[in-house]
């Protein structure tokens, strides 16, 4: 890993996940930080309230970032997300040219929490595997603060 993750920024992404849950959406949040760790964009999951099956926090963030910033700038940014990006989000991150990801909870832990809940038909496919198939590198750091992310998911998937 060639960069030092900012865990305060990861905690902000976790707070966005709680905010998404409080608004009736799935508990996921993400933010984009520039090279100086300034938060330049944030997004939360909107799958339930939009409704849009692709309204994951990371995908929503990538859409905003791609409209506002060029690919060269995005290559200098870091995306912080409460939970490891799913395969769809990893693809969006890759194509946006964001080159660094920091996540809290791993996809494997989410898979165990959601079990067979139809609200989260997650793929058992780590983002590192998705990024490894690309033409340019994407550095991935995580999991971090997994217990803090788990709190945001507590009892959510049982009630869905």
């Amino acid at each position: 890993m060639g960069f030092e993750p900012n865990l305060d920024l990861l905690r902000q992404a976790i707070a966005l996940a709680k905010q998404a849950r409080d608004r009736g959406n799935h508990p996921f949040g993400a933010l984009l930080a520039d090279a100086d760790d300034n938060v330049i964009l944030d997004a939360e999951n909107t799958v339930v309230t939009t409704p849009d099956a692709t309204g994951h926090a990371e995908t929503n963030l990538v859409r905003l970032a791609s409209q506002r910033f060029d690919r060269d700038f995005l290559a200098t940014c870091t995306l912080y997300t409460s939970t490891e990006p799913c395969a769809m989000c990893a693809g969006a991150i890759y194509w946006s040219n964001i080159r660094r990801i920091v996540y809290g909870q791993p996809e494997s832990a989410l898979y165990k929490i959601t079990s067979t809940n139809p609200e989260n038909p997650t793929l058992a496919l780590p983002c590192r595997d998705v990024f490894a198939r690309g033409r340019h590198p994407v550095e991935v750091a995580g999991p971090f603060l997994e217990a803090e992310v788990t709190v945001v998911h507590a009892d959510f998937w049982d009630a869905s």
Side-chain angles (χ1 to χ4, degrees), residues 28-46:
F28 303 101
L31 62 82
L32 190 66
D34 67 14
D36 295 320
D37 280 348
N38 298 305
V39 176
I40 55 175
L41 285 175
D42 63 38
E44 42 186 83
N45 182 288
T46 57

Side-chain angles (χ1 to χ4, degrees), residues 87-111:
M88 175 185 70
C89 292
I93 291 163
Y94 174 81
W95 280 302
S96 74
N97 206 35
I98 295 169
R99 300 288 182 107
R100 283 177 301 286
I101 311 300
V102 177
Y103 69 85
Q105 182 180 60
E107 182 77 10
S108 59
L110 178 66
Y111 194 81

